[in-house]
Amino acid sequence: MKQGETSPGDDIARTAGAPDSASVLRIEHIRLTSADAAATFSVRRTQGRLRVAGWLFIALFGLVAGKLALATVVDPMRPKLVAQTRRPEPPPATPPSAVPTAPTPAELGLRKARATITDRNGEILAISLPTASVFANPDKMIDANDAAEKLHRVLPQLDTADLRQRLAAGGRKFVYLARHITPRQQIAINDLGIPGIEFEQTERRGFPQGRVAAHVIGGIDVDGHGVAGIEKFFDDRLRADPTPLKLSVDIRVQQVVRDELLRAMTDFNAIGAAGIVLDVRTGEVIGMVSLPDYDANHFGTATNDERLNRATFGRYEPGSTFKLQDAALALDSGTVQIWNGFDATSPIHIGRFTISDFEGKKRWLYLPEILAYSSNIGAARMADAVGGEKQRAWMERMGMLAPLGIELPEVRSPSAPTAANWKEIATMTIGFGHGISVTPLHVVAGTAAIANGGIYYRPTLLVANPDAPPRDGLRVMQQSTSDIMRRLMRLVVSDGFGKTAEVPGYYIGGKTGTAEKPGKHGYSKNARVSAFMSVFPMNAPRYAVYMMLDEPKANASTHGYATAGWVSAPAAGRVIARIGPMLGLLPDVENAATINAQLSIPLQPGRPPGAKPSPGAPVMQSTIPVAASGSPPMRAKPAVAGPAAPAPAVPAIAVPTAIAAR
């Protein structure tokens, strides 16, 4: 553009008729009013708010997208498991106008879990796991037939026809469908989308050890209440206190006892068996087995025979295991000395009864021989020398006349003559374990007192608190009596009928016991209870082991015998060999000569010079026929006194301070 020219867009002001060079630019001044400013501010504020709202919507949709991703991709199971509803309450008994009460925790499904039960080492014996129960409200269902078909696909154990009938029943608001369903089944039922189907939080009691401790643990019913064993005895405590309940049982020992007991029961075709391991210093039960047994997870299907706890509820005549009680009583009362003997030449005939020996020696027997050779005749005469009154008082003191106070509901009272009927024949037969019936645990507890220094402890299934003072015990005999009885029990294993229980290094002591079972027509020669009662180690007693077979049958390995020395004692030895190391007791073979010398006692002890027989022992006051002939009764010969010879040196055995009477 040339100088002086203007573009068409320029706003030019000029005087009319004047030349273009006289033209000038025109400038306009615009003035902004307050109304215009307010409008501008309002627009800008609206734009800001829209931006904030936009960001909020973006955040909201982001959260929704994240939740959907969590529910469908990351953890699809979680939202379905949350769909829990409480069990509907039954129709109210109060008028509709009444003010409803608040639901209880149980109605809301917020119940406390039943406490766990463990063994002494913390191994779980019983535990409750969370489950669910499913139920239906038929009044809310649209199609009962369709619902039944769908539910059957998820829960095939349900009968379709029965389910259809129950769901179609009018007027019903509550129908239980299944208990203890799995989480997967609960999700599958939820996915069916059936109206009126609801769930309740429940728990399922599990017993990881199965059969191993079944009679100790017991069982529960479908409502979770204890119906047997520890579960029943401590039912209130297990439901109210979530703290684990620790028992004295060692599940390792329990398994060993069951293994060996089952082996013996199978080998000798017995109809039942019982095994017990007891800490003689505290009365704690370390192991308790009864066979046949049951799986605690299926208590409801167990038979009565399987549920019978033969250790605490089975009642048997103890047989010769009771000769330990007979000898301890005779020695502790001062009636008999260790060097005294009794005439076992011929059977004793009293009334219609005959007392005889199994493989008897048919001669006078010293007290150690009566135990080692298990002489019924010698034991009967020794009991008669003591007398029925003292014998009954002894049995009462040793817990043999009352149920044991162990923490189980399955306990049984002994069967014994009344004081008025505790006559001569009862005294003599009880001396060798007949005429009285007790549970195996009675025998074990009484023998533990004989071996541990003379202190009786009530058996218990609860483990002792290590910080608590020692349990109270009752002194039932002198320390000196217990010292002698340990040697006599050791003699039974080293030289008597208990040899088959011997385990090198454990210095086992014990007593065999074979009792014929009474029937409708007297005692049966073919039905026996064969038991072996043992304690180890006898130089420092720690544990008692009892093994019993009910009606064992002989086999080729026993040469036709089914007595305790052949069938029960070997099983006890195998148990001791296996559990000793578990319980921290290793066999001591290096000091065998010294320990055996401490425990030794001769079968025929000599009478010390100048020693006199105790009162009552030289001449037995009862008149007992010696033969079955019609000759008049003869007064029983006095207890034989051994030849005047120095008494054997019997070193004292130290008693652990833990078993001292309190």
Side-chain angles (χ1 to χ4, degrees):
M1 179 181 297
K2 294 180 179 181
Q3 187 175 6
E5 294 181 350
T6 60
S7 64
D10 290 339
D11 190 5
I12 300 174
R14 62 183 177 178
T15 306
D20 292 341
S21 59
S23 300
V24 296
L25 295 176
R26 186 176 60 191
I27 300 174
E28 295 183 5
H29 296 276
I30 300 174
R31 194 171 182 180
L32 186 66
T33 66
S34 60
D36 293 334
T40 302
F41 176 77
S42 176
V43 170
R44 291 177 178 176
R45 183 177 60 182
T46 302
Q47 291 175 343
R49 289 178 177 177
L50 289 174
R51 290 190 188 95
V52 173
W55 283 112
L56 288 177
F57 276 106
I58 291 173
L60 178 62
F61 281 108
L63 291 174
V64 172
K67 186 66 175 179
L68 289 175
L70 177 66
T72 59
V73 179
V74 179
D75 192 3
M77 305 280 284
R78 189 176 190 84
K80 296 181 181 180
L81 288 176
V82 175
Q84 301 273 346
T85 59
R86 68 179 181 89
R87 173 177 174 174
E89 300 178 20
T94 56
S97 59
V99 177
T101 59
T104 65
E107 291 171 332
L108 291 172
L110 304 176
R111 63 184 67 182
K112 287 184 178 179
R114 193 174 180 87
T116 299
I117 302 175
T118 73
D119 81 338
R120 65 188 303 113
N121 301 313
E123 291 293 326
I124 294 176
L125 303 180
I127 188 171
S128 291
L129 303 174
T131 60
S133 293
V134 57
F135 50 90
N137 184 344
D139 283 353
K140 294 182 179 180
M141 287 193 170
I142 300 173
D143 188 341
N145 292 334
D146 180 65
E149 293 292 340
K150 291 180 177 179
L151 288 169
H152 178 73
R153 289 198 294 268
V154 179
L155 303 173
Q157 70 270 25
L158 298 179
D159 181 82
T160 307
D162 175 69
L163 185 59
R164 186 183 298 113
Q165 181 180 4
R166 289 193 295 146
L167 294 180
R172 302 184 66 179
K173 296 183 179 296
F174 181 82
V175 173
Y176 245 124
L177 301 180
R179 299 174 184 268
H180 307 306
I181 63 173
T182 66
R184 189 178 299 276
Q185 289 173 322
Q186 183 179 353
I187 293 172
I189 294 173
N190 257 334
D191 288 342
L192 296 176
I194 303 174
I197 298 295
E198 299 181 3
F199 302 92
E200 179 188 29
Q201 289 182 334
T202 58
E203 62 183 33
R204 185 182 186 90
R205 195 69 163 169
F207 303 93
Q209 307 300 333
R211 294 176 176 271
V212 177
H215 289 94
V216 174
I217 299 301
I220 62 172
D221 60 17
V222 294
D223 295 318
H225 298 117
V227 292
I230 289 290
E231 291 280 17
K232 180 177 181 179
F233 191 90
F234 288 104
D235 187 49
D236 291 341
R237 187 269 191 220
L238 292 170
R239 287 191 286 125
D241 184 356
T243 305
L245 179 64
K246 182 174 286 191
L247 304 185
S248 60
V249 170
D250 187 323
I251 198 62
R252 303 169 303 167
V253 173
Q254 187 81 11
Q255 181 69 66
V256 170
V257 175
R258 186 179 186 276
D259 287 347
E260 296 299 342
L261 201 62
L262 183 60
R263 172 182 170 183
M265 182 177 169
T266 302
D267 288 346
F268 301 108
N269 196 26
I271 65 171
I276 300 171
V277 177
L278 184 86
D279 188 331
V280 302
R281 304 168 306 166
T282 64
E284 294 175 65
V285 175
I286 309 300
M288 178 186 292
V289 177
S290 177
L291 295 177
D293 55 16
Y294 58 91
D295 187 337
N297 293 290
H298 305 290
F299 178 83
T301 62
T303 65
N304 290 335
D305 191 45
E306 291 170 338
R307 294 182 185 182
L308 172 62
N309 187 346
R310 287 168 167 79
T312 61
F313 198 79
R315 193 169 61 187
Y316 312 92
E317 292 191 347
S320 295
T321 58
F322 244 41
K323 289 171 184 169
L324 295 176
Q325 298 293 333
D326 189 32
L329 166 60
L331 290 169
D332 201 64
S333 65
T335 304
V336 175
Q337 301 296 334
I338 195 67
W339 54 81
N340 290 146
F342 295 88
D343 185 7
T345 305
S346 304
I348 299 174
H349 299 276
I350 180 168
R352 60 187 181 89
F353 300 99
T354 301
I355 301 173
S356 58
D357 283 343
F358 172 74
E359 295 184 349
K361 299 298 182 180
K362 298 181 180 179
R363 61 175 173 81
W364 290 81
L365 297 176
Y366 288 82
L367 174 55
E369 292 180 304
I370 291 174
L371 289 182
Y373 304 141
S374 199
S375 171
N376 294 338
I377 300 172
R381 294 193 186 280
M382 184 162 52
D384 191 55
V386 174
E389 186 176 349
K390 289 183 179 179
Q391 185 189 59
R392 191 176 193 282
W394 175 273
M395 293 300 170
E396 186 172 14
R397 192 160 67 248
M398 298 294 288
M400 301 296 178
L401 303 182
L404 292 171
I406 195 168
E407 300 87 357
L408 288 175
E410 298 84 14
V411 293
R412 198 172 184 186
S413 299
S415 175
T418 62
N421 292 327
W422 204 293
K423 304 296 183 181
E424 181 182 46
I425 183 60
T427 301
M428 298 180 75
T429 57
I430 290 173
F432 58 90
H434 282 70
I436 185 173
S437 296
V438 297
T439 70
L441 190 56
H442 279 92
V443 177
V444 177
T447 305
I450 291 175
N452 71 11
I455 310 299
Y456 181 88
Y457 291 102
R458 176 185 60 80
T460 179
L461 279 166
L462 297 181
V463 69
N465 187 333
D467 298 327
R471 293 186 67 204
D472 290 334
L474 174 67
R475 177 163 290 283
V476 291
M477 70 186 72
Q478 302 172 73
Q479 176 73 52
S480 58
T481 301
S482 177
D483 290 343
I484 295 175
M485 289 304 301
R486 294 186 207 182
R487 295 169 173 80
L488 292 174
M489 291 174 68
R490 176 61 185 156
L491 184 68
V492 171
V493 176
S494 63
D495 295 86
F497 288 162
K499 289 181 179 179
T500 53
E502 181 71 303
V503 178
Y506 281 112
Y507 312 101
I508 301 168
K511 185 68 189 75
T512 55
T514 305
E516 296 175 354
K517 296 178 70 173
K520 295 181 179 180
H521 306 290
Y523 288 92
S524 171
K525 296 292 184 182
N526 299 317
R528 302 179 181 89
V529 173
S530 298
F532 185 70
M533 180 69 252
S534 60
V535 177
F536 77 100
M538 292 311 298
N539 57 314
R542 288 289 303 277
Y543 299 101
V545 177
Y546 175 92
M547 300 290 276
M548 181 273 285
L549 295 179
D550 190 358
E551 296 189 20
K553 312 298 187 301
N555 59 28
S557 67
T558 64
H559 309 284
Y561 295 107
T563 52
W566 286 102
V567 302
S568 300
R574 294 194 298 268
V575 167
I576 292 171
R578 292 179 62 184
I579 70 173
M582 293 179 182
L583 297 172
L585 295 177
L586 297 178
D588 185 354
V589 294
E590 295 181 357
N591 301 307
T594 301
I595 294 174
N596 280 323
Q598 291 177 343
L599 293 171
S600 67
I601 192 169
L603 283 166
Q604 299 181 350
R607 178 166 59 91
K612 296 181 179 180
S614 300
V619 180
M620 299 171 64
Q621 299 301 318
S622 59
T623 56
I624 305 174
V626 178
S629 63
S631 57
M634 298 176 58
R635 179 176 297 275
K637 295 182 179 180
V640 66
V650 184
I653 301 177
V655 181
T657 56
I659 64 172
R662 300 181 66 245

